[in-house]
Amino acid sequence: MKRLHYVVMLILFIIFYYVYQHTLADVLCYHEQHHLFLYTANYFNHALASHGFISYLTDFVIQFFYYPWLGTLVMATILTAIYALTERILTLIAPRLTLLQLSVIPSILLLIYSETTSHNLDLIILTFLILCAICPILQITQWIRPIFPIYRAPLPSKRIWLLLPVGCLMGFSIIAYTTFVRQYNPKEGIMLKTEHYAQKGEWEKVLDYSNRYLQQGKNNQFFSYFRNMALYHLGLLPQHLFDYPPIGGVKELYLPWSSNGRESEYGHYLYEQLGYLNEAQRWEFESMVVWGETAPHLRNLARYNIAIGRPRVAQMFINKLAQSLFYHDEARQLEALRDGGVVPGLHNALKHVTDHPARFSNVLNIGPELEYLLQHDPKNRMAFEYLMCQLLLSNHVVRFAEDLKLMKNFSYPAMPPIFEEALMVYKTGVDDATFAKVGYDVSMETQQRFGRFYQLVQQRDMASLQSEFSHTYWFYLQFISPYGSSVIQDKGQTTELKGVKQL
């Protein structure tokens, strides 16, 4: 039985290590990014007053998740120790009973409990501490006198003595595996991986994971938001914007401010890449109010304030970061950049814009902000593509045609197909003189495709429309747009002509 105990302990450690290294690796990363342990008296006092001593110890453990292999080793060791302590306690209480199969229950249940980010790790640390306290107390008590005398029945045969716990362990393992699989949320796993790779700027993987979810026929603003960012960085946004039905309209591109704590974590990504650092800072600060002073928030707020030209503000966040164990060196690197006003990887599109008079951002509609960026940074390709896509998704074809002249600031080998499709819609609703002011024309091929689309609409042949035109702007405008089936003019007027969207 003693040998079997060591075998079980080794097997459990291997299982825990494998699960946290692969299946739940992003869960550990999530916890590390949402907790920051600081070696200061102020942090200790604040942690005790707000969350308690157990949460303080949990944060201490979580700091080691900075290195994935170390975090995996720590969690596997703690859960294995919980098994070993449970087994020892049961042995002290009932030394003549075969209770090995019961010893694995707490550690397995805690593993299942930890597979979602909605559960913190306090329960695991608390369980470990309680068992660490009970075990020596029972051991000392047993040295003094037996506290749970039991009937000493004759022992069964060695075969039964061995097969009973082994059989129970096998049965419990099957139940535990089934429960783990049922409780595991694959959507959450894909979301964590998507954001993880977005943080690292690995846009091919961001596109891959967001596509994995959207290919299931589901729609989710989070995945569309990151997928469109990945498409831009890969130079594919205008070509693949309509690969999946954007039923959310412009909300597929950005996150309108809604005072949602969860969404506040993601808004800064887009504004940082657009070079709109003031707005990125606002989103990041709002997120810090919700989630606390975590490493990503402190790091980004320091970076943004350095690039904006606020070194003293940046220093406050750097000082906080420097009080941690694993982010101390990064804090010193940021401190070296503080007075230079330049942060590698950050572009401040409004660097030369004065703060007076004050201008307030439109937190509900990104369109005016994109236009503002292009006024001061006309070479901002991301702002241009997002503006064009925002106008198309919101049915503003007139504004799109008027702003299409901005495309001359960029080197496109050919006009993106969805741009030409929108231009075709515009052409059908204005006279030749008005259309000529656009400065671009529609190819004969696109005109023929539009004729085919119009014909199928008249015939109400949805099967052919789906197979031939589901990825076109015409299909979105006619059947998907949440803003109706008509083009919106500057003053909010809409008109239709010939059964197809017209001006």
Side-chain angles (χ1 to χ4, degrees):
M1 290 301 298
K2 196 170 185 179
R3 291 176 181 175
L4 181 59
H5 161 64
Y6 289 131
V7 170
V8 171
M9 189 162 60
L10 177 61
I11 292 174
L12 285 176
F13 179 84
I14 294 173
I15 291 174
F16 295 148
Y17 190 91
Y18 178 84
V19 170
Y20 283 120
Q21 184 69 18
H22 298 280
T23 309
L24 301 183
D26 295 294
V27 173
L28 296 189
C29 180
Y30 174 89
H31 286 299
E32 193 277 330
Q33 295 287 285
H34 287 77
H35 297 80
L36 182 65
F37 186 86
L38 302 180
Y39 289 83
T40 64
N42 287 336
Y43 176 78
F44 175 76
N45 294 330
H46 176 73
L48 290 186
S50 57
H51 302 294
F53 185 67
I54 297 301
S55 293
Y56 178 80
L57 291 180
T58 302
D59 289 349
F60 176 81
V61 171
I62 289 176
Q63 71 176 323
F64 297 103
F65 296 0
Y66 178 85
Y67 295 108
W69 66 269
L70 183 57
T72 300
L73 182 63
V74 168
M75 288 301 296
T77 301
I78 291 176
L79 289 184
T80 304
I82 288 175
Y83 157 74
L85 290 168
T86 305
E87 193 277 337
R88 181 59 183 162
I89 290 171
L90 292 178
T91 300
L92 291 172
I93 293 176
R96 301 283 300 224
L97 293 182
T98 307
L99 299 176
L100 181 67
Q101 62 273 19
L102 300 180
S103 305
V104 302
I105 294 178
S107 57
I108 294 295
L109 289 179
L110 289 172
L111 172 67
I112 296 173
Y113 174 83
S114 69
E115 68 179 339
T116 174
T117 58
S118 60
H119 295 157
N120 60 43
L121 302 182
D122 290 1
L123 182 61
I124 295 178
I125 303 302
L126 178 61
T127 303
F128 176 73
L129 293 177
I130 291 174
L131 293 177
C132 286
I134 292 176
C135 191
I137 293 174
L138 286 178
Q139 184 67 66
I140 294 172
T141 306
Q142 289 290 70
W143 287 342
I144 298 174
R145 63 180 178 83
I147 58 174
F148 292 106
I150 62 173
Y151 172 68
R152 297 181 178 275
L155 294 176
S157 65
K158 291 184 178 180
R159 180 176 298 179
I160 297 177
W161 188 256
L162 182 62
L163 291 179
L164 179 61
V166 171
C168 291
L169 285 173
M170 292 179 64
F172 181 72
S173 299
I174 295 173
I175 296 174
Y177 175 77
T178 304
T179 305
F180 181 88
V181 172
R182 285 184 176 181
Q183 294 295 324
Y184 181 70
N185 184 356
K187 174 186 173 182
E188 182 180 68
I190 297 175
M191 289 179 69
L192 293 175
K193 287 182 172 62
T194 301
E195 188 193 3
H196 173 69
Y197 288 119
Q199 287 180 338
K200 299 173 67 175
E202 298 183 18
W203 299 109
E204 295 88 352
K205 293 182 179 179
V206 173
L207 182 61
D208 176 52
Y209 279 102
S210 56
N211 282 340
R212 289 188 191 185
Y213 181 84
L214 296 173
Q215 284 170 357
Q216 303 174 20
K218 302 176 182 178
N219 185 269
N220 183 282
Q221 186 182 14
F222 172 90
F223 289 108
S224 298
Y225 173 72
F226 279 106
R227 179 180 182 272
N228 287 325
M229 267 191 283
L231 286 174
Y232 165 75
H233 285 286
L234 298 174
L236 301 172
L237 180 57
Q239 290 79 11
H240 296 276
L241 179 64
F242 296 108
D243 283 359
Y244 303 99
I247 60 177
V250 296
K251 292 182 180 180
E252 307 280 318
L253 291 174
Y254 70 103
L255 303 175
W257 180 252
S258 60
S259 300
N260 183 297
R262 175 60 65 184
E263 288 184 0
S264 69
E265 283 199 276
Y266 311 123
H268 73 278
Y269 285 105
L270 177 60
Y271 290 102
E272 175 183 325
Q273 294 155 45
L274 285 168
Y276 199 173
L277 299 187
N278 282 319
E279 190 62 11
Q281 180 200 22
R282 185 187 70 81
W283 276 88
E284 194 65 285
F285 194 88
E286 295 280 3
S287 183
M288 187 179 70
V289 171
V290 176
W291 299 98
E293 295 177 337
T294 64
H297 299 324
L298 295 175
R299 180 203 301 121
N300 285 332
L301 286 170
R303 291 168 64 240
Y304 297 155
N305 280 284
I306 290 173
I308 292 170
R310 301 170 185 158
R312 294 178 61 186
V313 178
Q315 188 63 50
M316 293 192 303
F317 301 113
I318 293 173
N319 291 341
K320 285 276 187 180
L321 205 59
Q323 295 165 359
S324 64
L325 176 61
F326 294 106
Y327 291 96
H328 181 271
D329 292 341
E330 187 174 349
R332 293 299 166 234
Q333 293 172 6
L334 288 170
E335 192 170 35
L337 301 172
R338 183 192 61 188
D339 296 323
V342 177
V343 179
L346 279 187
H347 166 62
N348 186 4
L350 304 177
K351 183 176 182 179
H352 302 292
V353 179
T354 60
D355 294 335
H356 304 284
R359 179 185 181 277
F360 294 93
S361 300
N362 190 326
V363 298
L364 299 178
N365 182 6
I366 199 175
E369 306 310 302
L370 295 171
E371 292 177 341
Y372 180 68
L373 286 174
L374 286 169
Q375 288 174 10
H376 298 281
D377 187 17
K379 298 292 185 180
N380 192 327
R381 183 170 182 144
M382 186 175 189
F384 168 73
E385 291 195 0
Y386 264 71
L387 176 62
M388 294 293 101
C389 293
Q390 188 264 347
L391 292 173
L392 294 183
L393 289 173
S394 59
N395 296 16
H396 284 92
V397 177
V398 176
R399 292 267 305 283
F400 165 83
E402 293 172 350
D403 290 342
L404 193 59
K405 60 181 180 293
L406 298 174
M407 192 169 70
K408 295 178 180 179
N409 293 327
F410 311 96
S411 56
Y412 285 91
M415 183 179 292
I418 63 169
F419 288 7
E420 197 168 14
E421 290 162 3
L423 199 57
M424 182 67 211
V425 175
Y426 178 73
K427 184 177 181 178
T428 60
V430 297
D431 55 43
D432 293 341
T434 303
F435 182 75
K437 296 178 182 179
V438 175
Y440 293 96
D441 202 355
V442 180
S443 67
M444 184 57 64
E445 178 187 358
T446 300
Q447 295 184 46
Q448 292 174 351
R449 289 175 55 242
F450 182 76
R452 168 67 175 166
F453 175 80
Y454 175 74
Q455 180 184 15
L456 294 176
V457 170
Q458 294 293 90
Q459 296 173 356
R460 299 184 180 180
D461 188 348
M462 285 303 300
S464 298
L465 284 167
Q466 283 277 3
S467 62
E468 297 181 34
F469 297 98
S470 60
H471 298 165
T472 66
Y473 180 63
W474 304 324
F475 191 88
Y476 168 80
L477 198 57
Q478 183 75 28
F479 302 107
I480 299 175
S481 174
Y483 313 105
S485 59
S486 301
V487 165
I488 299 175
Q489 300 186 45
D490 288 340
K491 296 181 180 180
Q493 300 172 346
T494 62
T495 54
E496 295 187 32
L497 201 65
K498 299 181 181 177
V500 186
K501 293 1 132 267
Q502 300 289 330
L503 300 175

